[in-house]
């Protein structure tokens, strides 16, 4: 068992090196050995997939990598992130080496011979790798073709294929990382927040929060044995993190479109106090300009009336209990302000008036 | 390989030109052109590879100076990269260009160029979706993790769009325009055989827009049918039904494919024919929709006419009909379409009787049914009724194979002294040569009657000899030689006799050796034995002894004819 774990560590190093210029020192024999090693680990994956104890040990070893922090902040994502990844570690190694210009010509030649032996190969293993690499090329070309020629971005964000896929991957990773250690997901999410374009990231978060419950894909990826899976886990982590970061949740509520937020809040009621609270604050920032007859803000970052209104409008079109919650809040604020019926005195009155017949 | 490499240069030029056109613009025309040519281009690549792999990379460049352009252009086309085995073969071709140790800068340059192209195909690619790359990098996902999932999601989303369109009709906002559906069907042509793609294919096939004309492009139908015939894709019967109903050439192609299999394979056993008949889904589809039955029937009819009643085609027709009837019964369709829709040119009464399964009729009453059939047919054929000529009647009759053989068996097993019923004799004579005139048929009936007379006498005889049988089957001396169809009929009677007569097994082998003067006759005998066993299976005929004999003979004769060939 220990030797197996050591093999895993060593191979992870090999995999990490395969991307660097260090491969220039690899001779054909090294390439061959590396591929054999990958093949061995893939065999391990197949053999022990249902063997709970061994699988768990390997899984834990791999997930430890997520905990590592380098000197300059969090380490990059590990190459072999979970047990599942062992299933195609040879593919991963092959792709890296193929793309690495530092690999010497003779070694590259050897690599090609190993990976693409040609038609009529008696060895099932080699055929499988050759086939899977070619199939992956087809798969990517196919996705491009569909996207380019047949795809139209779905205006309903959470149904958009690209968003959906990213959301699924995010949840999957959060779930795995959460298994390794409790703070894992939070750390990963913070890292994503720092590194990615914020707008895109927030959209993915929203899409993830809106993924259908108990996505069957998440369950079928696992081989069944091992830790109990509650597919909602990734989502819980996400929510927890979001609620814990006040600046991020503000950006979330501010930058995402009204309908999207309504759906998210409708699905996850824990967010509604936060959202409503923010809307309330934003509303309170506005004051009535008598000459213009409008509610306006003083600071440039104040949320304009139109946006505020459209958000409340969207919320009022949501199914109960959300709709009722919002209306109750609006009415209570209106009462607090003096329960005026005339416009121009309380923004809450005006909002309710504008929402009109929908209320 | 000599003629291959001779043909290769001209082909090469052709494909270079094609590729230039394809990579210049991406209009509907070019898309259509690419889709039409993908299989041939793949074949060309395969032949190129076979040539290239024997050569060293310098020789390749000398022989095909523009090879790099050819390969590069192929690699930049997502259609080609997505199709079937083309990426694999392209990779193999590129591998041929790599030199293990380049000697000069030119060779080095070629190496690095080839490596970049290989890397483009498999690793990094300009097809990548940029905004996703960084995200996955931080998450620790490689493109191999991401793309299959994305493709699946895209397929599912397209499927639900198509279904939505179908349900909501005019009111749906997400309605896919007909142009978009058409374009989608064209794009799918190279992608059919990818994993997880079947739901989209199915959704397209079953998509019914609100336009009167066909919205899917014909290349799509052709490609789906090809893929289905080659078993590269598996679709439910309902989808295939839609395919064939919407695109007649697909159905025709499937039939041609089937006929080729029937005729070309060496001595197909009926069990095997039944297997690929069922695989083809033709009987099931025909049971679901009479239009399909009619087309299949027509094609069988033409095939029989053209091949002069080839036994393989006949066997195919009979197996098809049997499977078709079974499918009807299984679906409990209870002929939801009137019989007339399936057999518009036949007498409904006749069809009803023929459709009956002999095993549903008590054995004692078989000769009644046979008489009935015979009388009806006779009336149509000889009295020139309104149901078409003798060929049409015969064609209808042979759909339901077993009746002719049951007739023979019944005649053989009747009492030695009793007169064989004229009706049954007529039926036998008609079944073996429908085109014969009245006189000819009468002569045949007389011949058969004589032979039967001898055979029924010998039937119960405990000690038989081959000579006896030969005498029984002997020709009338001094008369004209028997026409071949009649001779064949006599042979069949002899074979029936051998299988049923209590003493038959002792002389069977000797008699068969005497009979099988030519290879053709030997094949006929083997076909007869195979068919008889198949028929008995369907009739649930017990007859252990006869079966045993038939099986043994079949095995021995097959061994003799083609030694070493394993019994289906």
């Amino acid at each position: 068992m220990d030797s197996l774990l050591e093999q895993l560590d060593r191979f992870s190093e090999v995999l990490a090196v395969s991307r660097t210029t260090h491969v220039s020192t690899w001779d054909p024999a090294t390439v061959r050995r590396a591929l054999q090693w990958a093949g061995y680990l893939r065999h391990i994956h197949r053999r022990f997939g249902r063997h709970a104890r061994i699988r768990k040990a390997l899984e834990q070893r791999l997930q430890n990598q997520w905990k590592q922090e380098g000197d300059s902040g969090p380490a990059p994502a590990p190459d072999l992130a979970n047990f599942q990844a062992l299933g195609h570690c040879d593919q991963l190694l092959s792709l890296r080496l193929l793309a690495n210009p530092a690999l010497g010509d003779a070694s590259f030649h050897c690599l090609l011979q190993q990976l693409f032996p040609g038609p009529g190969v008696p060895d099932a293993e080699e055929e499988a790798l050759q086939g899977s690499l070619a199939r992956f090329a087809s798969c990517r070309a196919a996705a491009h073709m569909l996207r380019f020629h047949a795809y139209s971005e779905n205006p309903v964000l959470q149904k958009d294929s690209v968003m959906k896929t990213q959301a699924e991957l995010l949840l999957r990773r959060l779930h795995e990382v959460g298994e390794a250690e409790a703070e894992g997901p939070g750390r990963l999410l913070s890292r994503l927040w720092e590194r990615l374009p914020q707008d895109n990231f927030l959209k993915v978060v929203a899409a993830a929060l809106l993924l259908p419950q108990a996505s069957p894909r998440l369950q079928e990826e696992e081989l069944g044995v091992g830790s109990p899976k509650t597919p909602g886990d990734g989502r819980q982590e996400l929510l927890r993190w979001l609620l814990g970061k006040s600046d991020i949740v503000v950006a979330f509520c501010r930058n995402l479109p009204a309908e999207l937020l309504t759906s998210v809040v409708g699905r996850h009621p824990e967010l509604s106090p936060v959202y409503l609270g923010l809307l309330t604050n934003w509303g309170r920032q506005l004051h009535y300009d008598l000459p213009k007859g409008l509610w306006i803000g003083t600071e440039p970052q104040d949320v304009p009336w139109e946006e505020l209104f459209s958000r409340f409008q969207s919320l009022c079109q949501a199914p109960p209990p959300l709709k009722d919650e919002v209306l109750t809040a609006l009415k209570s604020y209106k009462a607090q302000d003096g329960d005026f019926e005339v416009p121009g005195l309380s923004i809450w009155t005006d909002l309710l008036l504008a929402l009109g017949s929908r209320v | 390989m000599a003629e291959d490499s001779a043909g290769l240069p001209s082909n090469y030029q052709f494909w270079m030109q094609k590729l230039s056109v394809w990579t210049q613009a991406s209009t509907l025309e070019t898309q259509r052109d690419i889709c039409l040519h993908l299989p041939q281009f793949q074949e060309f690549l395969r032949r190129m590879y076979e040539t290239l792999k024997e050569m060293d990379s310098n020789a390749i460049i000398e022989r095909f100076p523009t090879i790099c352009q050819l390969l590069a252009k192929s690699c930049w086309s997502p259609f080609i990269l997505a199709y079937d085995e083309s990426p694999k073969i392209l990779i193999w071709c590129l591998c041929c260009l790599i030199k293990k140790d380049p000697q000069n800068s030119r060779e080095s340059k070629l190496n690095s160029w080839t490596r970049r192209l290989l890397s483009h195909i498999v690793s990094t690619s300009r097809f990548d979706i940029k905004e996703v790359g960084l995200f996955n990098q931080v998450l620790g996902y490689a493109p191999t993790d991401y793309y299959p999932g994305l493709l699946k999601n895209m397929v599912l989303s397209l499927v639900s769009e198509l279904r939505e369109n179908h349900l909501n009709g005019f009111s749906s906002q997400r309605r896919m325009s007909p142009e978009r559906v058409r374009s989608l069907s064209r794009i799918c042509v190279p992608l059919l055989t990818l994993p997880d793609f079947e739901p989209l294919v199915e959704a397209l096939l079953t998509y019914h827009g609100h336009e009167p004309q066909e919205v899917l492009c014909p290349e799509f139908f052709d490609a789906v049918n090809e893929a289905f015939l080659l078993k590269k894709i598996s679709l439910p019967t309902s989808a295939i039904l839609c395919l064939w109903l919407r695109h007649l050439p697909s159905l025709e192609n499937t039939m041609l494919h089937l006929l080729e299999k029937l005729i070309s394979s060496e001595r197909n056993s009926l069990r095997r024919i039944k297997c690929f008949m069922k695989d083809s889904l033709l009987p099931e589809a025909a049971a679901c929709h009479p239009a399909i039955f009619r087309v299949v029937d027509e094609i069988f009819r033409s095939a029989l006419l053209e091949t002069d009643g080839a036994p393989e085609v006949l066997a195919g027709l009979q197996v098809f009909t049997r499977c078709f009837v079974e499918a009807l019964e299984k679906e409990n369709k209870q002929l939801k379409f009137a019989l007339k829709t399936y057999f518009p040119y036949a007498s409904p009464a006749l069809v009803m009787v023929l459709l009956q399964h002999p095993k549903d009729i008590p054995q004692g009453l078989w000769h009644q049914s046979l008489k009935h059939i015979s009388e009806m047919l006779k009336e149509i054929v000889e009295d020139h009724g309104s149901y078409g000529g003798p060929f049409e009647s015969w064609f209808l009759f042979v759909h339901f194979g077993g009746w002719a053989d049951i007739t023979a068996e019944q005649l053989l097993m009747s009492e030695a002294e009793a007169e064989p019923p004229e009706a049954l004799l007529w039926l036998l004579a008609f079944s073996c040569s429908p085109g014969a005139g009245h006189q000819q048929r009468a002569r045949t009936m007389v011949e058969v009657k004589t032979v039967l007379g001898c055979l029924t006498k010998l039937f119960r005889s405990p000690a038989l000899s081959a000579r006896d049988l030969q005498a029984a089957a002997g020709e009338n001396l001094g008369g004209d030689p028997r026409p071949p169809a009649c001779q064949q009929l006599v042979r069949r009677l002899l074979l029936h006799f051998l299988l049923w007569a209590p003493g038959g097994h002792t002389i069977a082998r000797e008699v068969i050796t005497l009979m099988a003067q030519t290879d053709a006759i030997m094949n006929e005998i083997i076909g007869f034995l195979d068919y008889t066993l198949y028929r008995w299976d369907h009739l649930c005929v017990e007859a252990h002894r006869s079966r045993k004999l038939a099986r043994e003979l079949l095995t021995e004769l097959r061994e003799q004819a083609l030694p070493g060939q394993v019994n289906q």
Side-chain angles (χ1 to χ4, degrees):
Chain A
M1 192 63 222
D2 279 338
S3 79
L4 194 53
L5 292 174
E6 239 191 71
Q7 297 258 7
L8 204 55
D9 288 337
R10 294 287 91 75
F11 183 75
S12 296
E13 286 169 13
V14 167
L15 206 50
V17 167
S18 67
R19 251 211 275 225
T20 68
T21 51
H22 189 70
V23 296
S24 56
T25 61
W26 286 17
D27 65 351
T30 318
V31 169
R32 222 170 297 141
R33 258 203 319 274
L35 286 172
Q36 274 168 358
W37 211 344
Y40 167 68
L41 282 175
R42 206 180 83 170
H43 167 76
I44 295 285
H45 169 262
R46 226 189 357 250
R47 176 101 168 67
F48 295 116
R50 302 203 181 274
H51 197 299
R53 196 174 58 88
I54 297 187
R55 188 198 150 127
K56 202 163 169 68
L58 289 171
E59 182 106 354
Q60 268 177 344
R61 185 59 147 240
L62 289 171
Q63 284 168 348
N64 279 343
Q65 299 169 90
W66 286 98
K67 299 187 198 170
Q68 289 163 14
E69 300 270 340
D71 294 324
S72 50
D79 302 314
L80 291 173
N82 57 13
F83 185 77
Q84 203 63 25
L86 284 180
H88 27 258
C89 59
D90 52 353
Q91 230 183 29
L92 197 53
L93 178 66
S94 312
L95 290 175
R96 292 226 176 136
L97 288 175
L98 276 172
N100 196 337
L103 191 63
D105 283 315
S107 307
F108 192 82
H109 186 258
C110 172
L111 176 69
L112 288 181
Q113 274 180 333
Q114 296 291 309
L115 291 180
F116 303 112
V121 169
D123 187 340
E125 290 278 327
E126 290 183 344
E127 181 53 47
L129 185 55
Q130 177 172 247
S132 75
L133 288 172
R135 242 191 332 272
F136 168 65
S138 297
C139 186
R140 188 166 50 197
H144 168 87
M145 277 175 68
L146 280 182
R147 192 146 196 270
F148 201 70
H149 295 280
Y151 180 69
S152 63
E153 244 178 71
N154 198 320
V156 181
L157 188 93
Q158 59 267 37
K159 293 205 180 139
D160 182 70
S161 309
V162 177
M163 275 293 152
K164 244 183 105 172
T165 315
Q166 285 181 268
E168 282 166 359
L169 290 173
L170 176 63
L171 283 186
R172 195 168 4 141
R173 191 58 100 212
L174 286 176
H175 174 73
E176 283 162 10
V177 166
E179 301 241 294
E181 56 149 0
E183 299 93 59
R187 234 169 329 135
L188 175 59
L189 286 164
S190 302
R191 205 181 304 157
L192 286 166
W193 175 250
E194 283 159 35
R195 305 265 301 267
L196 298 176
Q198 296 183 342
D199 207 41
N200 181 264
F201 176 63
L202 290 174
K203 286 193 177 132
V204 176
V205 169
L209 288 173
L210 288 172
L211 277 177
Q213 203 64 29
S215 163
R217 182 103 54 80
L218 286 174
Q219 278 161 326
E220 83 187 51
E221 294 298 77
E222 309 297 294
L223 281 174
V225 190
S227 36
K229 271 148 287 304
T230 31
D233 270 354
R235 256 178 293 250
Q236 295 305 358
E237 300 294 344
L238 193 51
L239 264 179
R240 202 176 307 153
W241 174 81
L242 191 59
L243 287 169
K245 302 265 178 191
S246 54
D247 56 333
I248 299 179
V249 86
V250 169
F252 187 76
C253 295
R254 185 75 213 270
N255 299 342
L256 292 179
E259 281 72 39
L260 185 59
L261 278 169
T262 305
S263 307
V264 172
V265 174
R267 182 86 98 72
H268 299 277
E270 309 97 302
L271 283 172
S272 80
V274 178
Y275 189 36
L276 274 179
L278 280 172
L279 287 171
T280 315
N281 286 342
W282 294 338
R284 296 223 168 91
Q285 301 300 327
L286 300 179
H287 66 273
Y288 195 65
D289 183 311
L290 212 50
K292 288 194 194 143
L294 298 168
W295 289 91
I296 53 171
T298 41
E299 309 293 321
Q301 70 264 28
D302 283 339
V303 177
W305 160 267
E306 292 75 22
E307 206 184 303
L308 204 61
F309 172 68
S310 87
R311 283 167 193 276
F312 274 109
Q313 187 181 49
S314 170
L315 284 170
C316 289
Q317 285 166 348
L322 183 58
K323 170 180 176 167
D324 301 323
E325 203 184 312
V326 171
L327 283 173
T328 314
L330 280 174
K331 286 182 182 150
S332 91
Y333 296 146
K334 171 183 169 189
Q336 277 171 18
D337 269 4
D339 219 4
F340 298 109
E341 294 299 336
V342 241
L345 294 166
S346 159
I347 190 168
W348 310 114
T349 309
D350 287 19
L351 277 168
L352 281 165
L353 284 172
L355 288 168
S357 53
R358 290 176 205 93
V359 208
Chain B
M1 281 296 164
E3 66 243 51
D4 257 47
S5 21
L8 217 44
S10 61
N11 260 351
Y12 185 95
Q13 285 313 317
F14 172 75
W15 290 115
M16 271 304 287
Q17 270 180 329
K18 277 284 180 203
L19 280 168
S20 301
V21 172
W22 291 346
T23 48
Q24 249 163 35
S26 180
T27 62
L28 287 177
E29 264 316 297
T30 50
Q31 278 180 24
R32 198 162 164 264
D33 199 40
I34 300 178
C35 288
L36 281 172
H37 287 94
L38 281 169
Q40 296 99 301
F41 183 64
Q42 182 162 286
E43 259 321 291
F44 165 73
L45 282 178
R46 235 188 259 273
R47 286 196 353 257
M48 275 303 287
Y49 170 66
E50 294 297 324
T51 312
L52 293 179
K53 76 176 186 200
E54 310 293 334
M55 300 163 72
D56 147 86
S57 84
N58 286 330
I60 295 177
I61 299 289
E62 213 179 290
R63 172 95 190 279
F64 302 108
T66 52
I67 186 91
C68 293
Q69 267 187 56
L70 181 90
L71 292 173
K73 289 196 167 141
S74 311
C75 293
W76 291 126
S77 164
F79 282 78
I80 297 177
L81 276 191
Y83 177 69
D84 202 29
E85 313 226 301
S86 297
K88 195 156 60 170
I89 306 175
L90 275 173
I91 292 174
W92 291 339
C93 290
L94 285 169
C95 287
C96 297
L97 285 178
I98 293 282
K99 239 178 141 46
K100 204 175 356 190
D101 66 277
Q103 295 298 326
N104 54 46
S105 81
R106 192 184 63 109
E107 289 177 5
S108 278
K109 280 214 184 77
L110 179 63
N111 257 18
S112 41
W113 179 89
T114 312
R115 283 171 68 157
R116 270 205 306 280
L117 202 53
L118 269 168
S119 166
H120 157 74
I121 297 179
V122 198
S123 295
T124 51
S125 161
R126 70 170 191 164
F127 298 149
D128 276 336
I129 302 172
K130 296 291 179 291
E131 61 260 31
V132 165
L134 182 56
F135 184 85
N136 287 326
Q137 202 180 32
V138 181
L139 273 187
Y141 281 118
T144 41
D145 297 313
Y146 170 75
Y147 273 98
L150 176 62
L151 193 60
K152 201 165 180 180
N153 275 340
M154 289 175 110
V155 166
L156 288 176
S157 125
L158 284 167
V159 168
S160 72
E161 265 189 80
L162 282 167
R163 294 254 156 84
E164 215 176 81
N165 214 44
H166 181 42
L167 290 172
N168 290 354
F170 296 101
S171 58
S172 169
Q173 273 171 312
R174 289 283 296 160
R175 185 174 172 220
M176 277 177 111
S177 68
E179 293 75 42
R180 192 152 159 249
V181 177
R182 192 180 184 86
S183 157
L184 179 59
S185 72
R186 191 174 301 115
I187 295 298
C188 283
V189 168
L191 308 179
L192 295 176
T193 55
L194 286 175
D196 298 327
F197 230 76
E198 281 140 4
L200 185 53
V201 179
E202 197 185 331
L204 281 169
L205 284 174
T206 52
Y207 171 80
H208 294 289
H210 303 276
E211 300 75 34
Q213 66 274 22
E214 180 56 73
V215 75
L216 301 178
C217 72
E219 298 83 60
F220 174 72
F221 291 122
D222 282 324
V224 174
N225 202 43
E226 267 306 299
F228 179 69
L229 284 175
L230 297 172
K231 305 224 185 293
K232 288 190 174 174
I233 189 177
S234 82
L235 290 166
T237 312
S238 52
I240 297 291
L241 194 64
C242 285
L243 168 65
W244 288 340
L245 284 172
R246 288 167 86 150
H247 189 241
L248 185 60
S250 300
L251 179 56
E252 290 171 347
N253 268 334
T254 308
M255 271 304 291
L256 286 175
H257 184 90
L258 178 76
L259 285 171
E260 261 173 34
K261 264 209 245 192
L262 286 173
I263 296 184
S264 66
S265 307
E266 270 297 316
R267 251 180 272 126
N268 273 312
S269 74
L270 279 161
R271 200 173 301 172
R272 202 181 296 155
I273 296 182
K274 185 169 179 178
C275 254
F276 47 74
M277 186 64 70
K278 285 213 150 130
D279 277 347
S280 73
L281 293 186
L282 284 165
E284 246 186 279
C288 288
H289 207 294
I292 295 191
F293 178 84
R294 297 282 319 129
V295 173
V296 173
D297 207 41
E298 266 309 301
I299 295 181
F300 267 123
R301 190 176 168 284
S302 310
L304 275 174
L305 275 172
E306 269 181 59
T307 61
D308 229 3
E312 299 92 345
V313 179
L314 203 55
L317 172 65
Q318 287 169 348
V319 173
F320 167 73
T321 312
R322 181 105 298 278
C323 293
F324 161 72
V325 172
E326 274 171 16
L328 272 181
E329 284 165 7
K330 194 163 26 142
E331 308 250 356
N332 209 8
K333 298 261 178 207
Q334 288 303 359
L335 287 181
K336 97 175 156 195
F337 299 95
L339 273 177
K340 231 175 158 37
T341 34
Y342 295 98
F343 301 100
Y345 306 119
S347 139
L350 179 56
V351 175
M352 285 260 24
V353 179
L354 286 173
L355 262 178
Q356 279 180 314
H357 199 315
K359 83 167 186 272
D360 294 331
I361 310 171
Q363 224 166 332
L365 292 177
W366 281 357
H367 70 270
Q368 290 270 46
S369 300
L370 290 172
K371 258 185 80 186
H372 197 187
I373 293 173
S374 172
E375 277 157 17
M376 281 198 274
L377 276 172
K378 188 155 189 243
E379 193 182 317
I380 296 170
V381 171
E382 296 196 340
D383 303 340
H384 298 291
S386 50
Y387 292 110
F391 176 76
E392 296 304 330
S393 302
W394 175 82
F395 181 60
L396 175 65
F397 182 63
V398 292
H399 271 76
F400 307 93
W403 291 112
D405 289 280
I406 292 180
T407 311
E409 285 172 350
Q410 287 285 299
L411 283 170
L412 263 178
M413 306 217 256
S414 52
E415 288 303 313
E417 302 312 322
E419 275 277 308
E422 286 295 306
L424 269 59
L425 285 175
W426 187 94
L427 197 57
L428 263 188
F430 175 69
S431 72
C432 80
S433 53
H438 188 88
Q439 272 210 339
Q440 173 82 303
R441 199 171 298 130
R443 250 216 319 272
T444 307
M445 283 163 72
V446 165
E447 290 268 350
V448 171
K449 196 163 162 181
T450 324
V451 172
L452 274 172
C454 304
L455 286 178
T456 44
K457 274 204 206 81
L458 290 170
F459 198 81
R460 306 264 161 223
S461 167
L464 289 165
S465 81
R467 200 162 297 282
D468 292 335
L469 232 57
Q470 221 179 0
E475 318 223 348
N476 279 335
L477 296 168
D480 299 317
R482 284 194 193 124
C486 186
Q487 188 68 319
Q488 193 182 57
L489 183 54
V490 172
R491 277 198 294 270
R492 284 176 88 97
L493 285 171
L494 283 179
L495 287 167
H496 276 294
F497 179 88
L498 288 173
L499 290 177
W500 285 108
H505 62 282
T506 48
I507 52 165
R509 287 151 184 88
E510 203 185 327
V511 173
I512 287 180
T513 316
L514 285 171
M515 274 203 291
Q517 302 290 334
T518 67
D519 273 346
I521 297 181
M522 178 59 93
N523 283 345
E524 187 194 298
I525 297 175
I526 292 177
F528 171 84
L529 289 167
D530 184 24
Y531 181 69
T532 305
L533 282 165
Y534 168 79
R535 197 169 48 86
W536 285 346
D537 277 337
H538 276 118
L539 289 177
C540 308
V541 162
E542 289 291 320
H544 295 293
R545 197 181 33 102
S546 307
R547 264 190 203 255
K548 184 159 172 286
L549 178 61
R551 241 194 295 270
E552 282 170 6
L553 286 172
L554 187 57
T555 319
E556 286 164 25
L557 291 177
R558 275 199 172 125
E559 260 299 310
Q560 242 178 30
L562 230 65
Q565 186 180 63
V566 178
N567 222 350
Q568 85 267 5

